[in-house]
Amino acid sequence: MRALLLALAAPAAIAAQAPASSTTAAEDARLTAFLDRAFQERIALSPEAQTSLGLKTDYDKLDDETDAAAIRARDLGERQLRAMRAGFAPARLGASGKLSYRLFEQQVERARDGFRFRKWRYPVSTNGSPMGDVPAFLINNHRIDSVADADAYVARIRDSERVMRETAALMREQTGMGIVPPKMVFAPVRGDARKVLTGAPFTAGDDSALMADFRKKVTALRASDADKQRLLAAAAAAMTGPMKRGYDLMFATLDAIEPRATGNFGAWKLPQGAAYYAVRLRDSTTTDLTADQIHALGLKQVAAIRQEMEAVKNRVGFKGTLEQFFEQVRTDPRFKYPNTDAGREAYLNDARAFVAQMMTAAPRYFLRLPKARLEVRAVEKWREATASTAFYNRPAPDGSRPGIFYVNLVDMNQTQKIQLDAIAAHEAAPGHHFQIARAMELEGLPRFRAFGGYGAYVEGWGLYSERLAKEMGAYTDPYAEFGMLSNQVWRAIRLVLDTGIHAKKWTREQAVAYFRANSSVSDTDIAREVDRYFNWPGQATSYMVGQLKIAELRTKAERALGPKFDLRDFHEVVLGQGALPLDVLEEQVDAYIAAKRA
């Protein structure tokens, strides 16, 4: 599911073009139907993707993690591309159909080009592993509305042993290829996995997180007491039997592989590392920017944002250097929540209040808002050690699951009040929820576009939203504005560090030192972030590259249209076609400008 989901009202730009003829409209509709069937065939390969979309087909299975499954997915995409080319002529399609044709073709071609590196991704890292992903998936995605659904949940617990076995086999194969996770991966992965196995039925005491979730869902069922007792006993047996065996196998695999991890190295250390990293940069940014170009862009952006931070520092009357101001922000108790459950709840309440503020302001900045609900939640305690600082979980299309803004509150001494607003703007409103949930609700869009994504576009919109929030009334306090700028420089630093680590052979210590010298981000977040970059080559470059393109296109439209420019129209152009590669997004904005000028 993880690989599939990562791959996965007419907007003004299209509406402004010449109206489609009945012939092209019919052909567009026929192509959309074809692409939707292709999407259904693709998700049929992934039980977890089906569940994520609110479906209950293959509800008792987890994904196939073997290489044979990856080959099946590749072959299916190639067959679908051949069928599309044989059945449709771009010249007979309207503007919307041409775009869908082009995007599907490009998606398959890029997947083909990167397929040779399918075994280069670390299946176990500080960014996640099946030992954490399977419980998180069951807790957050598997609904139990009937006894049959509960039996399917138990079946998935049992199936986790197979997933662990397949993952262990891949890790051992990778080790033979010279692909070993960095040394810092092993301890936190083990730690989070042991938390999953803490509590009943694994150990004495209160229910484990997984058992507590299953018990809560089963208790709420309309079912006999006998059925409920049977289900609870079956879940306990599945956890202490197959699931525990799977975890034990993974622990043994980690123990066997760890001695082969000689340090913390970037992609350059891997076989064909330079070529692999080039593909990762291309896919992450949807551009042909080289590592050197991205590194230089990062250095330039860090310098520019530091100047903005200097201005805020002077505004609040701080007399020391910017680095000294960073340290004050890191350590001053004024900028901390209590490291207690009450402190964590205070953070969540403040985040909810910020989201509500943005929702109230949004109609002045957007023509359409997502219909899906949005919730703010803390990351579950058993995955705090490896979960990101904050992230967004998409809603189910049928409304059964809201969009969720997750925040990692593992240590409130390392969580800064002044960053809260910008993080919430990025992950929730007007950031990922306004884009991801909205894309799922677009009418007439092929499903592969509604549920797909391009990192530079998705994360670029999230980062753009942090600055947009200021226009919407956020950051009235200069420290909150500094928090936003600290998040912005954080993403600029990513351009420097990702390329530094994977192309320029930077050490982990070098990366941490650069990060700390140029931001007020807490030491915990810095360590977590740097580890993430080591484990996920290229991904960290998507944010700033995407934001800079969206901001550039907005400036272009503002200058070209003058008084005709309407920010709500611009946002509709950006959001109204779903996620797009950056060059295609620029074409959409150019079409919008031309239509407005006409």
Side-chain angles (χ1 to χ4, degrees), residues 11-279:
I14 296 299
Q17 298 176 16
S21 68
S22 58
T23 301
T24 57
E27 197 70 354
D28 282 3
R30 193 168 73 87
L31 176 63
T32 296
F34 168 85
L35 292 173
D36 282 348
R37 289 193 299 273
F39 180 82
Q40 289 302 120
E41 291 172 346
R42 182 67 188 271
I43 67 166
L45 300 179
S46 170
E48 294 174 40
Q50 294 165 48
T51 300
S52 180
L53 293 172
L55 305 174
K56 290 189 176 181
T57 47
D58 292 326
Y59 212 42
D60 58 346
K61 299 180 181 68
L62 297 171
D63 281 0
D64 186 337
E65 302 293 343
T66 64
D67 192 49
I71 293 170
R72 283 195 296 273
R74 187 274 313 270
D75 292 347
L76 175 61
E78 295 289 354
R79 289 197 303 272
Q80 291 171 340
L81 178 57
R82 289 194 296 271
M84 184 181 74
R85 285 171 169 167
F88 299 89
R92 295 175 57 83
L93 297 168
S96 181
K98 282 186 173 75
L99 181 55
S100 293
Y101 185 104
R102 174 183 172 189
L103 292 175
F104 186 82
E105 183 176 57
Q106 184 183 83
Q107 183 182 93
V108 176
E109 289 174 342
R110 288 200 167 189
R112 177 195 306 152
D113 185 49
F115 190 72
R116 67 189 188 277
F117 293 118
R118 65 192 181 279
K119 295 180 182 178
W120 267 243
R121 180 185 68 85
Y122 302 129
V124 169
S125 76
T126 53
N127 297 330
S129 81
M131 293 184 286
D133 293 344
V134 169
F137 169 75
L138 289 170
I139 290 169
N140 292 301
N141 292 277
H142 190 112
R143 303 196 324 269
I144 293 180
D145 303 314
S146 67
V147 170
D149 292 346
D151 280 321
Y153 191 118
V154 174
R156 278 178 154 163
I157 295 172
R158 294 192 200 100
D159 202 27
S160 66
E161 181 181 17
R162 173 190 57 80
V163 172
M164 305 299 170
R165 186 169 61 248
E166 291 169 355
T167 302
L170 172 59
M171 292 182 71
R172 289 179 183 274
E173 181 183 0
Q174 287 178 314
T175 301
M177 297 166 60
I179 299 171
V180 181
K183 198 168 187 62
M184 52 46 185
V185 160
F186 294 86
V189 166
R190 283 194 193 90
D192 270 5
R194 290 189 181 110
K195 290 176 186 175
V196 174
L197 303 180
T198 299
F202 304 105
T203 63
D206 295 336
D207 281 345
S208 63
L210 190 60
M211 192 66 187
D213 176 71
F214 186 72
R215 188 184 302 278
K216 179 181 177 181
K217 290 173 178 175
V218 167
T219 300
L221 271 181
R222 283 186 168 181
S224 68
D225 288 343
D227 272 337
K228 291 180 180 180
Q229 290 305 313
R230 176 187 65 79
L231 289 167
L232 291 170
M239 291 180 200
T240 56
M243 185 178 219
K244 180 64 164 52
R245 288 197 299 270
Y247 277 67
D248 288 343
L249 174 61
M250 285 299 298
F251 287 135
T253 301
L254 292 171
D255 290 344
I257 291 174
E258 185 172 13
R260 301 286 295 275
T262 56
N264 300 311
F265 302 106
W268 62 269
K269 182 81 167 178
L270 301 175
Q272 304 175 61
Y276 168 57
Y277 188 49
V279 169

Side-chain angles (χ1 to χ4, degrees), residues 110 117 267 273-295 455-456 494-500 502-504 536-543 545 582:
R110 288 200 167 189
F117 293 118
Y276 168 57
Y277 188 49
V279 169
R280 293 296 304 127
L281 288 180
R282 181 205 67 188
D283 290 349
S284 296
T285 67
T286 67
T287 72
D288 58 1
L289 291 170
T290 66
D292 284 344
Q293 289 172 319
I294 292 172
H295 193 81
R494 285 176 171 175
L495 299 181
V496 178
L497 295 194
D498 196 286
T499 52
H502 296 294
K504 298 180 180 298
W536 203 353
Q539 191 272 344
T541 65
S542 59
Y543 299 74
V545 170
L582 296 183

Side-chain angles (χ1 to χ4, degrees), residues 291-402:
D292 284 344
Q293 289 172 319
I294 292 172
H295 193 81
L297 179 63
L299 293 172
K300 180 180 178 182
Q301 287 301 309
V302 168
I305 298 168
R306 281 180 64 104
Q307 289 186 341
E308 294 184 84
M309 299 172 95
E310 285 275 8
V312 175
K313 182 203 76 172
N314 294 336
R315 220 160 72 220
V316 300
F318 188 84
K319 301 303 182 185
T321 65
L322 187 57
E323 287 75 15
Q324 289 169 333
F325 192 51
F326 289 158
E327 191 61 24
Q328 184 196 53
V329 169
R330 280 193 193 99
T331 59
D332 193 324
R334 287 183 298 160
F335 306 130
K336 307 290 185 186
Y337 290 88
N339 193 26
T340 62
D341 288 344
R344 291 175 177 84
E345 192 58 36
Y347 184 106
L348 296 173
N349 287 335
D350 286 349
R352 291 168 186 138
F354 177 85
V355 168
Q357 176 191 351
M358 292 296 98
M359 287 295 192
T360 299
R364 301 196 303 274
Y365 298 86
F366 296 88
L367 292 177
R368 296 173 180 84
L369 303 180
K371 298 173 185 175
R373 293 176 295 120
L374 174 62
E375 292 185 7
V376 182
R377 299 182 189 174
V379 166
E380 300 90 347
K381 291 189 178 300
W382 50 267
R383 57 171 175 155
E384 287 174 335
T386 54
S388 301
T389 301
F391 52 96
Y392 176 78
N393 194 57
R394 71 170 69 221
D398 62 1
S400 60
R401 185 183 67 250

Side-chain angles (χ1 to χ4, degrees), residues 553-567 569-570 573 589-598:
L553 295 177
R554 175 173 166 176
T555 299
K556 182 180 185 179
E558 288 171 337
R559 289 174 177 168
L561 298 178
K564 288 186 175 181
F565 178 82
D566 186 316
L567 185 55
D569 286 343
F570 174 78
V573 172
V589 173
D590 287 344
Y592 154 70
I593 292 170
K596 278 284 192 178
R597 277 175 158 174

Side-chain angles (χ1 to χ4, degrees), residues 334 457 470 487:
R334 287 183 298 160
Y457 173 96
K470 183 177 181 180
N487 282 5

